Amino acid sequence: MGVIPLKNRYLIHVDNTLALTVSPLTTFIVFLIYMLISPAALALTVKDSLGSQELPAPATRVIALNWGATEEMLELGVTPLGVAEIEGYKTWVAQPVIPETVMDVGTRAEPNIERIAGLKPDLIVIGSMQKNMIARLKPIAPVLYFDNYRADHDNFSAIKESFQQLAVALGKADIAMARLDAQNEKLKQLKQRLNVYFNGQLPKVTVVRFSDAHHVRAYGLNSMPLAALKELGIEPAIAIKNSTWGQVQKPIRDLAYMKGVLLYLRPLPKEAELFEQPLFRMMPFVAEGRIAPVRSTWTYGGALSISYLAEHFVEALMTLPATIASNNHALNSHTSAGIK
Amino acid sequence: MSSALTKASVKVAQSKFSILPRFSFALPLLGFGLLALAVVFHLQSETSLSFLQQWHVWLTLAPQDFAEFEYYYSAMPRMLMAILVGATLGFVGSLLQQLLQNTLVSPMTLGASSGAWLGLVAASVFFPTLAVLYREWWAMAGATVAVGLSLLVARRSGFRGLPIVLSGMAISLLFGALASAFVLLNDQYVRNLFIWGAGDLAQGDWNDVIWLLPRVSPLLLLVILAHRPLMLMRLGEQGAQSRGLNLIPVLITLLLMALWLTASAIATVGLIGFIGLLTPQIARRFYARSARIEMVASAVIGASLLLITDLIAIKATQSFGQLVPSGAAAALIGAPALILLSLKRGADNERVAPPPSSHDQVGHGNERRWFKTTPKKGAVVVAFIFIIVLCLALFVFPKTILVNNSVNMQANIHWGWYWPEGYLWQLRWPRVLTALMAGLGLAVAGTVLQRLIRNPLASPDILGLSAGATLSIVIFILFFGTKWLVFSPMIAFMGSFLVLGLLLLLGKRQAFSPGVMVLIGIALTALLDAILQFTLARGTDEVFSILLWMSGSTYSVTAIQACLLTVGVLVLSAITLVWHRALTLIAISDDVARSRGINVLRARGWLLTLIAGICALITAVIGPVSFIGLLSPHLAYLLGAKRVLPQILLASVAGGSLLVFSDWVGRVALYPVQLSAGVIASLIGGSYFVYLLARRRL
């Protein structure tokens, strides 16, 4: 836009009257031309957590140092040049599948900068774990830093925003929009299926991962599982405060008087043993069958991982009786009256 | 030496005999009263039931509704578990301390905790399925190896003084470093261990109590059988043997029993430190009349202590909305208590004072050496090694070369000499320089410290100087996150100087007795461990930046930091050299130094301050690094540098080379994955240390 005032001033200087009559028209034409040619001629502008930066062209040789970015890149159809901890990605994130040609650049916490430099990338994408490396990565290639997981914001909207920005940097903005739209559509369908199944009376849900026989890591309000639940129109059964990675370690008995359904993520070693524990079996949510397992799913993923989560949640919830929410009210008031 | 010890212990025993009879009824009552009170309070912590309802559950053992179920399956077994574990730990502590006649000994200080932790972590990484199923056996195996190693290492210097505690600390450091490396490289696999690592007593049924009960029942047998040998041990080893005690078999049997009890206890509830170390110290103040009474009293007090600790942990968990494990609470209470106790230990010091085993007395097996060492030859050897290491670190490197064949890109790794081009050079030199300077500084600090307190096993990482810096940074990260880590040098200095202040304060009072310094080191290191485990148990990813930093990595060092570190270390080390005459004299004895006109207290204070400065600087830049400060002086000594000045110089170059080499190995061994220099240094240094100790070269 910097062109226009300059031109105006020039015109005013040469001929005052001409400038007054012509200038709105000139301005408009210049603006039009500017709008038409700018996408091709000018660099891409990408916004990350540190502000805007310009890339000369869509990146093709990309290195991703965290798994969320890796996942999103693969979703966009871009095969990264290098990724940190590929073995870990294969074990814990798994989907989408990472091609064999991608090179390992070391651990996520201490990626091998010498190797990264050797690969001569044109873009490096990092997360909060690699924040202190920006100064050393910058001389190698432009760095996109997405600080997605934080206690003081809504992780999911930050992740969606960063996904779109990443897509811009890769020249895949249109694909990203399409994928997000498709995901919204899918989430809507899932929501509808759920509503039909539960007759419009959705149960409240808490999502946990069991850490051992007596403790859970409960997912908080700003976590991806809770974001998935929100998209499905499900309310959290207990409010767990925000934290960086969206989860809090708690004793199981803290959940005892929770009113709602408990979804727990697999894998859970010693699952049978847990369910044999008398106290666990007596927990109201177990005794009343308000508990269901969820297939193994990565819970710190990228923008499109939310649909996997939502899908698996719906799958799990639909193993419960359809009347659980309506029954539950009666049951809950009954038991609490009995105790008090 | 042993006669002096005997006299001292007889004196202690007599002095206690004279007061005790008057309290013979009151004291047991007091102990059991405390226990009963703790039980009652503990039971109230997690239930909404009234006393009457609780009483009803106890009488009928048939819970009716959920609240009663909760009481029956959670509160009751948890209380019993606390008693069982607390009593076991207290009892074992007392048994060990009496057996080895050493008040600093406990399962924790012998390395059992870190051994168990390493066993479990390693099992989870290598045999994930088996690790889940046989948790207790892995823990037990690790603990046995660690304690066995500490005892083996210390066996010839006797179990009485500091050597066994120092070797236990060294083994702990070694095992801890290994475990950290495993955790860092495989964080996702070991996650479900973190709560165990932090030590929590939560119960969901009676199974664990029932599992543990028969396993700790030998305790009752020991109360009867261990009494006589322990009473005889009070007379000293020779005294005991002359009265017909077959020392070695008894020692081994009792030690194995103690180990079994400990391993069973920590396998069920996880790592809970301090109880075993603290309890006997408290018990001894009141109940030292006979070995049996001391053991029983320790068990009772241990149970009460753990109940109270667990109560605090429960309350903290409730008010913070997230898990505060009992082990963390134990450390938070135990560490200050240990330091407080060490304040009052003045009179006890004869019992722990080490045999003055300075280098010159021990006498190394020079005759077997393949070449005769003189300082000059040593210097040549060290210089040669130094140059080789430096070349390795800077130029020998795997290089990734991209090959573009028709189908896809391929990376080939080529090993060889490469001149680091442009940016690679900028990435590499700060790391090499930092490793060099950190190794140099630690070596100087270690040499000075060993001379200063006349103990060849002293080092900044064992005496808590590094731990103070590390602890302050870890606590800072815990509360404020990693955002403000730019201030880490200031924080490290604060922590280091707090410890220094503590050392100086206590030192003035007790003439810098090694016992007190080691106690502080133990307290801080254990506190650090517990806080680390607590952070791990929070299950957030922030902890990995702490763990990484704690493993002593040169990874994130910038050029400016490297230069600052270089200047700081060189200046501080140079100032240390000014004091070398005082150091030589103090190393002989305080009296000699004083008679030559040296203000011993002031010299000690200054030298300690300098060392603390060096340690804080290094810790702030690359995190804690173990074993360099411990080993470098010995390397220098073995190479023939027996006087202070050459020893410091030779040690500093040796230490620098060692850390540069470790850093290089860490960078290339698992390329492209990088290991921390500190981990490799611990591995190399720790194994060499164990070898040296076992061969009696220290």
Side-chain angles (χ1 to χ4, degrees):
Chain A
M1 298 295 262
V3 197
I4 302 158
L6 196 81
K7 197 138 195 169
N8 270 337
R9 207 181 305 143
Y10 175 67
L11 287 174
I12 289 162
H13 186 73
V14 173
D15 185 345
N16 230 338
T17 48
L18 185 75
L20 277 172
T21 50
V22 176
S23 82
L25 185 67
T26 327
T27 314
F28 182 62
I29 291 169
V30 168
F31 182 65
L32 249 185
I33 294 171
Y34 177 78
M35 286 304 286
L36 280 173
I37 62 170
S38 63
L42 288 176
L44 304 164
T45 309
V46 189
K47 233 181 89 195
D48 68 359
S49 302
L50 296 176
S52 301
Q53 55 179 312
E54 307 217 320
L55 300 181
T60 50
R61 302 172 59 84
V62 193
I63 289 179
L65 297 184
N66 69 342
W67 294 341
T70 308
E71 180 192 322
E72 291 178 343
M73 238 173 258
L74 292 169
E75 293 275 8
L76 290 171
V78 175
T79 304
L81 186 64
V83 166
E85 266 178 82
I86 291 185
E87 283 311 308
Y89 179 93
K90 284 179 184 162
T91 318
W92 300 101
V93 187
Q95 279 178 316
V97 176
I98 198 162
E100 285 302 316
T101 54
V102 180
M103 242 167 297
D104 199 333
V105 293
T107 57
R108 286 172 299 159
E110 290 195 342
N112 196 321
I113 298 187
E114 296 200 1
R115 178 166 231 190
I116 293 172
L119 292 175
K120 301 197 167 47
D122 57 9
L123 183 68
I124 301 169
V125 187
I126 63 170
S128 55
M129 208 189 237
Q130 297 88 17
K131 189 187 176 187
N132 56 357
M133 290 162 214
I134 296 177
R136 265 170 302 157
L137 292 172
K138 272 256 165 77
I140 302 172
V143 177
L144 280 186
Y145 165 58
F146 295 120
D147 188 11
N148 287 338
Y149 285 95
R150 278 164 54 167
D152 58 356
H153 72 185
D154 177 23
N155 286 345
F156 183 45
S157 35
I159 287 165
K160 269 197 288 198
E161 173 64 23
S162 74
F163 176 56
Q164 283 167 323
Q165 292 299 327
L166 178 66
V168 170
L170 300 174
K172 306 270 183 189
D174 43 341
I175 299 185
M177 281 312 287
R179 295 300 304 265
L180 279 178
D181 286 345
Q183 169 164 286
N184 281 341
E185 195 51 42
K186 189 175 165 193
L187 287 172
K188 249 182 227 160
Q189 281 172 12
L190 286 171
K191 185 177 177 178
Q192 203 172 3
R193 250 174 75 197
L194 212 55
N195 268 310
V196 170
Y197 181 79
F198 285 109
N199 244 332
Q201 280 199 304
L202 297 181
K204 291 182 174 181
V205 173
T206 288
V207 185
V208 301
R209 215 182 257 280
F210 286 103
S211 353
D212 68 2
H214 316 295
H215 303 93
V216 293
R217 292 210 295 270
Y219 286 93
L221 295 174
N222 66 339
S223 67
M224 291 297 270
L226 271 269
L229 288 181
K230 198 174 156 198
E231 297 293 320
L232 293 172
I234 294 177
E235 282 179 43
I238 43 174
I240 289 162
K241 63 178 181 242
N242 287 8
S243 58
T244 309
W245 292 87
Q247 48 172 287
V248 174
Q249 190 88 250
K250 275 176 167 303
I252 291 180
R253 50 185 311 288
D254 275 15
L255 303 174
Y257 299 106
M258 171 206 67
K259 292 168 184 171
V261 171
L262 187 82
L263 292 181
Y264 64 94
L265 284 151
R266 278 180 173 157
L268 170 58
K270 290 193 171 183
E271 189 164 359
E273 222 167 279
L274 178 67
F275 277 87
E276 275 164 23
Q277 248 191 45
L279 182 63
F280 189 71
R281 287 167 59 168
M282 277 305 291
M283 290 274 170
F285 56 82
V286 183
E288 295 160 14
R290 290 184 278 126
I291 183 168
V294 178
R295 265 205 281 163
S296 174
T297 320
W298 181 242
T299 49
Y300 313 101
L304 297 175
S305 68
I306 208 113
S307 58
Y308 296 118
L309 274 171
E311 199 178 339
H312 297 168
F313 286 161
V314 169
E315 205 174 87
L317 284 172
M318 284 174 57
T319 61
L320 297 168
T323 50
I324 194 146
S326 33
N327 278 352
N328 212 13
H329 268 293
L331 264 175
N332 265 328
S333 51
H334 178 69
T335 42
S336 54
I339 289 161
K340 288 283 144 69
Chain B
M1 182 205 80
S2 74
S3 67
L5 265 169
T6 319
K7 260 184 219 157
S9 52
V10 167
K11 213 186 277 170
V12 169
Q14 277 173 348
S15 69
K16 289 203 169 140
F17 266 125
S18 58
I19 346 168
L20 270 175
R22 269 188 280 163
F23 295 100
S24 56
F25 286 106
L27 276 176
L29 263 178
L30 203 69
F32 282 106
L34 181 72
L35 180 63
L37 211 64
V39 164
V40 171
F41 272 105
H42 189 271
L43 280 174
Q44 306 317 312
S45 62
E46 277 194 302
T47 184
S48 54
L49 296 179
S50 68
F51 274 114
L52 211 64
Q53 284 168 310
Q54 289 181 31
W55 187 239
H56 182 72
V57 177
W58 276 103
L59 281 182
T60 58
L61 294 183
Q64 300 299 323
D65 57 18
F66 180 68
E68 285 188 9
F69 259 89
E70 207 177 18
Y71 186 74
Y72 180 73
Y73 283 114
S74 176
M76 280 162 62
R78 184 171 185 150
M79 182 272 289
L80 281 176
M81 187 56 106
I83 291 183
L84 269 183
V85 172
T88 308
L89 292 177
F91 179 88
V92 169
S94 173
L95 177 68
L96 284 176
Q97 293 191 2
Q98 294 190 61
L99 188 62
L100 305 177
Q101 285 292 300
N102 189 336
T103 51
L104 293 176
V105 160
S106 80
M108 180 182 79
T109 46
L110 287 182
S113 309
S114 53
W117 174 239
L118 175 65
L120 213 51
V121 166
S124 308
V125 171
F126 294 121
F127 321 101
T129 39
L130 288 180
V132 176
L133 293 178
Y134 302 107
R135 176 175 284 194
E136 49 278 357
W137 292 104
W138 295 111
M140 212 172 278
T144 313
V145 170
V147 174
L149 221 49
S150 323
L151 291 176
L152 187 76
V153 162
R155 75 188 188 283
R156 290 209 211 136
S157 24
F159 299 129
R160 300 217 155 188
L162 282 178
I164 186 164
V165 181
L166 290 172
S167 74
M169 289 283 287
I171 301 285
S172 291
L173 285 175
L174 174 62
F175 279 40
L178 266 175
S180 287
F182 281 129
V183 171
L184 278 172
L185 291 176
N186 304 280
D187 60 277
Q188 303 284 347
Y189 284 96
V190 290
R191 264 174 194 233
N192 51 0
L193 294 181
F194 290 164
I195 290 185
W196 181 87
D200 198 56
L201 290 168
Q203 302 294 314
D205 53 28
W206 286 85
N207 288 349
D208 281 357
V209 175
I210 291 166
W211 185 88
L212 185 59
L213 202 55
R215 282 171 174 78
V216 296
S217 56
L219 205 138
L220 297 174
L221 206 66
L222 279 178
V223 172
I224 300 165
L225 292 182
H227 178 66
R228 200 183 88 89
L230 290 186
M231 283 309 269
L232 287 176
M233 285 304 283
R234 290 187 175 191
L235 303 171
E237 279 170 32
Q238 283 163 1
Q241 270 168 331
S242 70
R243 279 165 184 77
L245 183 68
N246 204 346
L247 194 64
I248 300 299
V250 169
L251 205 68
I252 290 176
T253 317
L254 289 183
L255 273 175
L256 280 179
M257 297 286 269
L259 205 59
W260 165 263
L261 291 174
T262 313
S264 309
I266 59 181
T268 29
V269 299
L271 302 178
I272 292 178
F274 284 107
I275 303 281
L277 181 58
L278 265 182
T279 314
Q281 314 237 15
I282 300 169
R284 200 168 301 118
R285 302 188 92 81
F286 306 105
Y287 304 98
R289 199 147 35 120
S290 80
R292 186 177 295 149
I293 291 176
E294 194 177 320
M295 282 191 287
V296 173
S298 291
V300 172
I301 295 176
S304 320
L305 264 185
L306 191 57
L307 278 169
I308 296 168
T309 309
D310 192 41
L311 181 64
I312 293 172
I314 292 173
K315 287 295 169 202
T317 304
Q318 284 166 358
S319 57
F320 292 138
Q322 67 171 8
L323 179 71
V324 177
S326 327
L332 282 179
I333 300 164
L338 195 60
I339 293 176
L340 272 183
L341 274 178
S342 65
L343 271 169
K344 302 199 168 180
R345 299 174 43 91
D348 258 11
N349 267 338
E350 299 88 32
R351 280 173 73 180
V352 285
S357 60
S358 77
H359 298 294
D360 313 280
Q361 289 184 347
V362 174
H364 295 274
N366 281 341
E367 64 282 355
R368 275 187 300 166
R369 201 77 41 72
W370 53 272
F371 70 102
K372 265 212 151 144
T373 47
T374 61
K376 242 183 212 163
K377 273 189 192 166
V380 171
V381 172
V382 168
F384 188 63
I385 292 173
F386 174 66
I387 291 169
I388 292 180
V389 166
L390 211 57
C391 289
L392 274 180
L394 283 174
F395 306 124
V396 176
F397 235 78
K399 194 176 186 182
T400 309
I401 293 175
L402 289 177
V403 183
N404 234 336
N405 62 22
S406 54
V407 191
N408 52 42
M409 215 112 74
Q410 246 190 334
N412 293 337
I413 295 173
H414 294 275
W415 281 79
W417 285 86
Y418 297 107
W419 185 257
E421 312 140 12
Y423 194 56
L424 287 191
W425 174 250
Q426 283 177 41
L427 286 174
R428 215 169 280 174
W429 73 258
R431 299 187 68 168
V432 175
L433 183 63
T434 306
L436 177 64
M437 284 303 143
L440 190 145
L442 286 171
V444 171
T447 316
V448 173
L449 214 50
Q450 292 186 1
R451 294 270 175 169
L452 205 56
I453 67 170
R454 278 177 237 122
N455 196 308
L457 294 177
S459 86
D461 39 316
I462 287 180
L463 293 194
L465 283 170
S466 308
T470 317
L471 190 61
S472 57
I473 293 189
V474 168
I475 291 175
F476 186 79
I477 295 178
L478 207 59
F479 282 106
F480 302 103
T482 46
K483 266 179 251 168
W484 305 102
L485 264 188
V486 267
F487 298 121
S488 61
M490 272 154 58
I491 302 155
F493 270 106
M494 247 168 52
S496 208
F497 281 101
L498 267 178
V499 175
L500 177 73
L502 207 63
L503 282 179
L504 290 179
L505 191 80
L506 296 179
K508 276 236 167 99
R509 253 190 232 189
Q510 308 182 3
F512 297 97
S513 99
V516 174
M517 294 173 94
V518 169
L519 260 182
I520 292 177
I522 291 173
L524 287 175
T525 313
L527 184 64
L528 188 64
D529 256 9
I531 289 185
L532 197 68
Q533 294 287 4
F534 164 62
T535 327
L536 281 174
R538 295 210 312 176
T540 64
D541 274 29
E542 221 148 69
V543 71
F544 290 104
S545 51
I546 299 184
L547 256 190
L548 255 184
W549 178 79
M550 287 223 18
S551 62
S553 161
T554 58
Y555 182 85
S556 51
V557 175
T558 62
I560 300 168
Q561 282 176 324
C563 294
L564 285 179
L565 180 73
T566 308
V567 174
V569 166
L570 288 181
V571 167
L572 288 176
S573 305
I575 302 177
T576 329
L577 292 183
V578 174
W579 292 85
H580 79 266
R581 184 171 161 268
L583 203 53
T584 309
L585 293 171
I586 290 176
I588 301 170
S589 88
D590 282 5
D591 292 335
V592 173
R594 226 170 273 130
S595 68
R596 297 288 198 287
I598 282 170
N599 186 340
V600 175
L601 271 185
R602 213 182 63 185
R604 276 225 167 94
W606 273 111
L607 282 167
L608 271 179
T609 312
L610 283 170
I611 295 171
I614 296 178
C615 292
L617 203 62
I618 294 168
T619 311
V621 175
I622 69 169
V625 174
S626 311
F627 288 107
I628 302 279
L630 185 60
L631 271 184
S632 310
H634 294 283
L635 282 175
Y637 186 84
L638 288 178
L639 287 169
K642 302 196 173 163
R643 287 173 47 230
V644 172
L645 209 54
Q647 195 189 11
I648 291 182
L649 292 174
L650 217 57
S652 63
V653 182
S657 316
L658 196 55
L659 200 53
V660 171
F661 181 68
S662 306
D663 188 44
W664 176 73
V665 171
R667 278 182 293 161
V668 300
L670 290 178
Y671 187 86
V673 172
Q674 315 200 27
L675 291 168
S676 298
V679 171
I680 306 286
S682 292
L683 278 184
I684 299 175
S687 343
Y688 185 62
F689 173 76
V690 169
Y691 166 80
L692 275 185
L693 279 173
R695 300 272 319 264
R696 195 74 183 99
R697 285 286 175 81
L698 286 183

